[in-house]
Amino acid sequence: MKKMLKIVCALLLAVWLIPFESVQAASFKDVSKDNTLITEIDYLVEKGVIYGYPDNLFKPDTNVTRAQVAAMLTRALGLQTTNVKDPKYQDVPITHPYYKEIAAVQNAGIFLSAQKFNPDATLSRGHMAIVLQRAFKFKGDGISYFTDVSPQTSGYKEISLIANNNIARGYDDGSFRPNLSLTRAHFSAFLARALTLSNPNLLKDTAYDYTYAHYSLKDKKKYTLKYQYSHYDGKNDVWAVSDLNSKKVFNNELLFSDGDVYGQGVDRDYDLFYDLYFEIPLRIGVIQHEDDGGIISGIRLTVKSTDGTVKAGGVDYNNVIVLEEKSIYSDGVSTYYFVDGIGLVKELYNDIVVYELLERTAN
């Protein structure tokens, strides 16, 4: 049995170091690849929600209009634009270029009936929250902690819900600025995040033992690691880690999640912090900026996908959370692939696979 296991692991390790192809950005001329919102903008381009302007321009800093918001929401939600009911807005005749889209969002209850729609007017951050809440019906805590948002603020509950679902965050001074007009880039980001919102369980399942192929960047050796659930230490799930071939014992893995935060680290006497730490629920885009403080600083975490695919141990996984980590302290890029209810199935450092789930067996 041990000989067979070694053969299987050797075959898997042979293909395990094949590099992954990276996804190319949409590359609007006026959207830098370093723009923190490029993941969300590219997502909407790929989904056919936004198209940009002639000459490959996006005009990210131009204020978005209510008509453009109607068009984007109609495409994003797949709303019906044939046989729409006339919303009877005085300033939106049937000859208006966005008549069908405006009618579609009004028919869906996203914008309300009124004498005028004001298609060329801008949309504020507060009204954006109201519109997105009507469209996506977010769940959760409706309490706001922004310094400029009180129960008397229009959209108080909606602002709280989109913030608590990590769709929008406030400014460094603790404000939300509900009356500030939205740019095309910012509304695109909020819409893309709403479309990709996911609340997965990223912990390993304690009912199983996990076997990983591991390439150590430290000693340049390959291992076949077995992860066995050991105990709950009052905060973390503690997993014992050992190499199946050499019987070498590695440091325990600590996994933490309370439904709002996920933490992952190695049990070291000298290190009290997690190696990976972020808020849940997840959505695409930057979720931790290198300038942010907190437990992990100097790190940029970007969710590249919440519905990705990956192959690990010969198994094709769908609805994969793809998380990219960059540090100001190194040139390396780590990419993590998580599956709901299973946990980590693959990890890359640059183009090298350093962890790959080979199998899970009931314990």
Side-chain angles (χ1 to χ4, degrees):
M1 180 63 186
K2 290 184 179 178
K3 183 177 181 181
M4 180 62 70
L5 177 61
K6 289 182 179 180
I7 293 173
V8 171
C9 292
L11 290 172
L12 288 167
L13 284 165
V15 299
W16 172 48
L17 295 176
I18 297 175
F20 274 41
E21 293 184 1
S22 60
V23 178
Q24 297 299 314
S27 302
F28 286 113
K29 289 193 295 186
D30 54 354
V31 180
S32 166
K33 67 178 182 179
D34 297 323
N35 190 307
T36 56
L37 305 181
I38 194 169
T39 301
E40 294 96 319
I41 292 171
D42 282 357
Y43 175 83
L44 294 187
V45 171
E46 293 167 5
K47 296 296 183 181
V49 175
I50 56 177
Y51 304 112
Y53 291 88
D55 299 324
N56 199 27
L57 296 174
F58 182 68
K59 301 184 181 180
D61 298 324
T62 300
N63 286 338
V64 69
T65 68
R66 288 165 58 88
Q68 290 171 342
V69 168
M72 293 168 67
L73 284 169
T74 297
R75 298 180 196 127
L77 300 173
L79 299 180
Q80 180 62 254
T81 56
T82 58
N83 301 318
V84 289
K85 182 180 178 182
D86 187 357
K88 299 187 183 302
Y89 292 124
Q90 293 177 3
D91 53 357
V92 185
I94 60 173
T95 55
H96 192 282
Y98 288 110
Y99 169 79
K100 291 182 178 180
E101 291 83 356
I102 292 171
V105 293
Q106 188 274 342
N107 292 177
I110 299 172
F111 283 87
L112 303 183
S113 299
Q115 287 187 339
K116 293 185 177 182
F117 182 74
N118 299 313
D120 297 324
T122 60
L123 192 76
S124 70
R125 286 169 58 87
H127 198 187
M128 171 273 297
I130 294 172
V131 166
L132 290 184
Q133 177 60 27
R134 290 174 186 160
F136 293 96
K137 297 178 173 55
F138 301 118
K139 309 291 185 183
D141 183 5
I143 300 175
S144 172
Y145 300 97
F146 295 114
T147 57
D148 57 350
V149 177
S150 71
Q152 288 71 47
T153 303
S154 177
Y156 170 80
K157 181 179 179 181
E158 292 84 353
I159 291 170
S160 305
L161 285 167
I162 68 162
N164 292 328
N165 280 282
N166 299 327
I167 303 300
R169 61 190 297 182
Y171 291 85
D172 291 339
D173 61 1
S175 67
F176 183 77
R177 304 180 191 178
N179 297 321
L180 184 66
S181 294
L182 274 177
T183 63
R184 285 170 50 82
H186 281 130
F187 183 76
S188 297
F190 298 146
L191 178 57
R193 294 169 190 172
L195 286 166
T196 58
L197 190 65
S198 177
N199 193 15
N201 173 18
L202 304 180
L203 295 174
K204 287 181 173 65
D205 189 337
T206 58
Y208 291 84
D209 294 338
Y210 286 64
T211 302
Y212 286 91
H214 171 50
Y215 176 72
S216 172
L217 295 170
K218 186 175 181 179
D219 62 16
K220 310 303 181 185
K221 292 182 179 180
K222 299 175 183 177
Y223 297 92
T224 303
L225 300 183
K226 186 171 185 178
Y227 285 66
Q228 292 180 295
Y229 177 68
S230 175
H231 64 282
Y232 179 70
D233 66 4
K235 181 178 181 181
N236 305 286
D237 286 345
V238 180
W239 290 78
V241 184
S242 61
D243 178 46
L244 284 175
N245 298 317
S246 67
K247 306 303 180 184
K248 176 181 177 180
V249 176
F250 288 72
N251 288 334
N252 292 336
E253 180 183 62
L254 304 180
L255 298 180
F256 167 77
S257 181
D258 61 0
D260 295 320
V261 171
Y262 173 82
Q264 172 181 310
V266 175
D267 188 6
R268 311 180 187 96
D269 292 336
Y270 60 86
D271 188 353
L272 301 178
F273 300 125
Y274 294 103
D275 301 312
L276 194 61
Y277 188 87
F278 50 84
E279 292 183 349
I280 299 171
L282 294 173
R283 43 56 176 189
I284 64 169
V286 176
I287 58 173
Q288 169 76 34
H289 193 273
E290 56 266 29
D291 293 335
D292 294 340
I295 293 178
I296 297 180
S297 60
I299 300 294
R300 178 179 292 193
L301 292 177
T302 304
V303 177
K304 307 298 289 186
S305 178
T306 59
D307 61 353
T309 60
V310 71
K311 176 172 282 189
V315 178
D316 292 315
Y317 294 98
N318 298 312
N319 299 317
V320 178
I321 303 293
V322 184
L323 184 71
E324 180 184 270
E325 178 186 45
K326 295 181 179 180
S327 171
I328 62 173
Y329 307 111
S330 71
D331 295 328
V333 178
S334 295
T335 308
Y336 303 87
Y337 299 83
F338 289 93
V339 176
D340 185 13
I342 295 178
L344 183 72
V345 298
K346 203 160 205 170
E347 179 184 337
L348 281 69
Y349 184 79
N350 293 336
D351 290 329
I352 299 175
V353 181
V354 292
Y355 285 95
E356 180 172 5
L357 180 62
L358 301 180
E359 65 173 355
R360 295 193 311 154
T361 56
N363 52 32

